[in-house]
Amino acid sequence: MKKQVFNPYLPSWEHVPDGEPHIFGDRLYVYGSHDGGHSFCELDYVLWSAPLTDLSDWRYEGVIYRKDQDPINGAAWQGQIPPLDPYYQSLPGPHTLFAPDAAEGPGGRYYLYYSLDFSNLISVAVADKPEGPFEFLSYVTYADGSVPKEGRKFDPAILVEKSGIYLYYGFCPEGTLPGEEEGQVFEGAMAVRLADDMHTVISKPVCVANGCDTAKGTDYQEHPFFEASSIRHFGDLYYFVYSSLQGHELCYGVSKDPLGHFLYQGVLLSNADIGYKGNKNADCYWGNNHGGLVCLNGDLYIFGHRQTHGNESNRQGIAEKVPIEENGRLGQARLTSCGLNGGPLKDRGWYPAYIACSLMGPDRDHIGHVMNGGPSAQAPDPPSDWPYITEEGNKSYIKNMQAGSTCAFRSFSFGQDRYQITIEARGRGVLEVHFDQEKSPVASTLTVDSGDWAKCADELTASSGVHALSFTVKEGQVDLAGFELDGLPE
């Protein structure tokens, strides 16, 4: 790679959650939602891609599909829109583009699957190239134009194989939904087979992963399916990735049949590192999660997203290498600042604060779910003692680090014992730098005393090897923009 890769892997100003990674030709494409406002998915779909030979070289492909291209939002179309729930029709529009997925069809064209927020319909768009632009094609229905009744048509995932074309979907909240679905029981994640036209259903829906209403007594009892279907085929197994009812975690199940029951296997990623090696405490403020698997240069990576701005409305894509356990099962990946880098970061250079993989406020017992305003509702401001990643213009930074707040960056490969560390910060306070964890000896102490962005430096006592760096505010209140490492003569 020409340069290092950070987490998040896209530029600091870009917010593409729900990322579904796919390899088409010699490039990796990530299809996802598009945040950047006060509620979920307010913007149109954009696409980013990178060459498989250099995952640091991301290219913006532009807007690939607009919400006003769907007939539900008023676009002209000669077909007939399937009946919508009157409750949904009463909601204000235009309706937003929720999490998509994409696949190459049998004829060599590319198909984009999505739902307009809670329409309970899956829409399909088509393009001649993986980067689009996409044009609306149709809705997923039976040949007579009716929609399958089983399951909530939400968060579609698509798999195209020689054996057939398979579509997965579902949404299983606790309690019931309003409108015509009030009181309805949702089994879990559903799957159907599609015709070669990529939108006509030709099989009865089957449940492939249990939701909370049906999980009791099954292998999904502790981690029932909630949303975020994703499907891949590696070797002789199909891998179904989903977001559990816990919200912050991506779990997976396996099956030898794309329409069979997927046997629950475990957690792949938590955007708070809950569950990693038995960890029961959140290592950062968390929110919903959605993503998929991809094999890159012989290694498996899980794509997901994290929360910024102290809410769920500005999510950013992250990716982590998946550990393979001795029994062949996939283990839980730990959050890092390097993700797709293929190894730890260098012990030289400038590192922006927004790549922190752990962020905690002074009250460690109340690190929880970030604020969520819900669809079309503005997210509230975070609590006054929460630090969070945000930006001013083109400058991203960690805001509001009060006494007791900690941010961590994992990991760096240190090759010597003495460095100079320089931070860019503002505010008034004292920061301590530790290796690996706060309980380790203080490696450096930095004093910040400026109302504007300013730099201050100190010697950093290190030890050779791979280590994380953590910054803890001991007194005062500080905003942190980043830090630089430089070796000192031995």
Side-chain angles (χ1 to χ4, degrees):
M1 287 183 286
K2 297 178 182 177
K3 57 184 179 181
Q4 297 188 106
V5 185
F6 299 147
N7 252 343
Y9 51 86
L10 295 182
S12 62
W13 47 264
E14 185 63 282
H15 297 78
V16 177
D18 309 325
E20 285 290 348
H22 290 287
I23 296 173
F24 296 126
D26 60 357
R27 298 187 71 84
L28 172 66
Y29 295 83
V30 178
Y31 299 84
S33 306
H34 197 195
D35 287 350
H38 297 292
S39 63
F40 290 125
C41 313
E42 287 190 344
L43 307 178
D44 297 326
Y45 290 144
V46 298
L47 183 66
W48 290 78
S49 73
L52 297 178
T53 54
D54 187 359
L55 297 176
S56 71
D57 186 19
W58 288 91
R59 182 176 74 195
Y60 177 61
E61 304 289 359
V63 176
I64 61 169
Y65 194 71
R66 305 183 317 276
K67 62 176 71 72
D68 63 11
Q69 291 179 254
D70 193 294
I72 293 175
N73 278 338
W77 185 51
Q78 294 182 347
Q80 184 174 358
I81 300 175
L84 294 172
D85 186 327
Y87 174 81
Y88 177 81
Q89 289 181 298
S90 69
L91 299 176
H95 298 287
T96 53
L97 295 165
F98 272 11
D101 195 14
E104 182 180 1
R109 303 188 80 192
Y110 297 85
Y111 295 82
L112 186 71
Y113 292 77
Y114 65 93
S115 62
L116 281 178
D117 44 51
F118 294 101
S119 65
N120 203 23
L121 290 176
I122 293 173
S123 304
V124 189
V126 64
D128 293 325
K129 300 180 294 183
E131 65 269 27
F134 287 82
E135 298 293 335
F136 180 81
L137 175 64
S138 189
Y139 297 101
V140 173
T141 67
Y142 290 113
D144 63 3
S146 63
V147 178
K149 294 181 180 180
E150 298 88 349
R152 182 79 182 180
K153 270 59 73 179
F154 190 81
D155 284 356
I158 185 70
L159 179 68
V160 177
E161 302 219 300
K162 291 182 180 179
S163 65
I165 302 164
Y166 307 96
L167 179 73
Y168 302 77
Y169 60 89
F171 181 55
C172 296
E174 289 184 298
T176 63
L177 296 171
E180 292 181 346
E181 294 177 315
E182 185 172 1
Q184 183 174 336
V185 172
F186 296 107
E187 285 187 74
M190 309 302 292
V192 296
R193 189 169 174 175
L194 300 181
D196 285 349
D197 65 8
M198 301 294 285
H199 62 83
T200 300
V201 179
I202 58 173
S203 73
K204 180 178 175 59
V206 294
C207 178
V208 296
N210 297 91
C212 60
D213 289 337
T214 64
K216 187 175 181 179
T218 76
D219 48 350
Y220 287 89
Q221 180 167 320
E222 301 301 322
H223 303 269
F225 170 85
F226 176 54
E227 60 181 358
S229 297
S230 181
I231 186 71
R232 297 292 187 274
H233 187 186
F234 302 121
D236 62 351
L237 291 176
Y238 294 88
Y239 290 75
F240 180 74
V241 175
Y242 68 94
S243 176
S244 73
L245 193 63
Q246 281 85 333
H248 58 84
E249 62 184 23
L250 295 178
C251 304
Y252 83 107
V254 297
S255 173
K256 291 188 175 181
D257 180 353
L259 294 178
H261 174 78
F262 282 73
L263 180 66
Y264 176 81
Q265 298 290 285
V267 177
L268 292 173
L269 184 72
S270 160
N271 57 27
D273 266 345
I274 298 171
Y276 178 77
K277 292 189 175 179
N279 177 39
K280 296 181 180 180
N281 300 314
D283 283 341
C284 51
Y285 301 102
W286 56 269
N288 65 19
N289 212 346
H290 187 157
L293 288 166
V294 68
C295 184
L296 298 171
N297 303 315
D299 292 318
L300 276 181
Y301 286 83
I302 179 66
F303 280 60
H305 63 240
R306 68 170 190 179
Q307 281 67 26
T308 66
H309 295 69
N311 60 50
E312 280 196 326
S313 307
N314 295 273
R315 300 162 294 174
Q316 292 179 316
I318 58 174
E320 298 291 358
K321 183 178 176 180
V322 178
I324 309 296
E325 299 176 347
E326 291 184 0
N327 58 10
R329 290 174 67 159
L330 307 183
Q332 181 172 342
R334 192 180 192 186
L335 298 177
T336 72
S337 300
C338 42
L340 297 170
N341 196 55
L345 300 170
K346 299 176 181 178
D347 61 352
R348 302 289 194 281
W350 171 258
Y351 293 97
Y354 75 83
I355 70 171
C357 57
S358 175
L359 181 58
M360 296 179 281
D363 188 349
R364 305 300 170 82
D365 294 330
H366 291 86
I367 298 174
H369 196 290
V370 296
M371 302 295 100
N372 175 17
S376 302
Q378 182 168 333
D381 293 330
S384 60
D385 62 342
W386 279 23
Y388 56 93
I389 296 167
T390 187
E391 70 277 326
E392 291 177 0
N394 294 325
K395 193 180 195 69
S396 293
Y397 65 99
I398 299 176
K399 183 180 178 66
N400 194 36
M401 291 188 67
Q402 300 180 22
S405 296
T406 294
C407 62
F409 304 82
R410 189 180 301 115
S411 290
F412 300 86
S413 180
F414 290 95
Q416 61 185 73
D417 297 330
R418 296 176 64 241
Y419 294 82
Q420 176 173 285
I421 184 168
T422 303
I423 64 169
E424 183 180 10
R426 69 182 178 190
R428 288 172 175 81
V430 176
L431 284 87
E432 290 183 349
V433 184
H434 300 258
F435 278 79
D436 297 321
Q437 56 182 343
E438 291 176 73
K439 295 179 181 179
S440 63
V442 176
S444 183
T445 301
L446 299 132
T447 300
V448 181
D449 188 9
S450 176
D452 297 320
W453 293 110
K455 293 185 177 181
C456 59
D458 188 34
E459 182 173 333
L460 178 72
T461 303
S463 59
S464 297
V466 176
H467 301 282
L469 278 181
S470 65
F471 296 73
T472 299
V473 178
K474 298 305 292 183
E475 58 183 73
Q477 182 172 331
V478 173
D479 295 339
L480 180 65
F483 61 95
E484 184 173 12
L485 295 173
D486 193 12
L488 292 174
E490 294 293 326

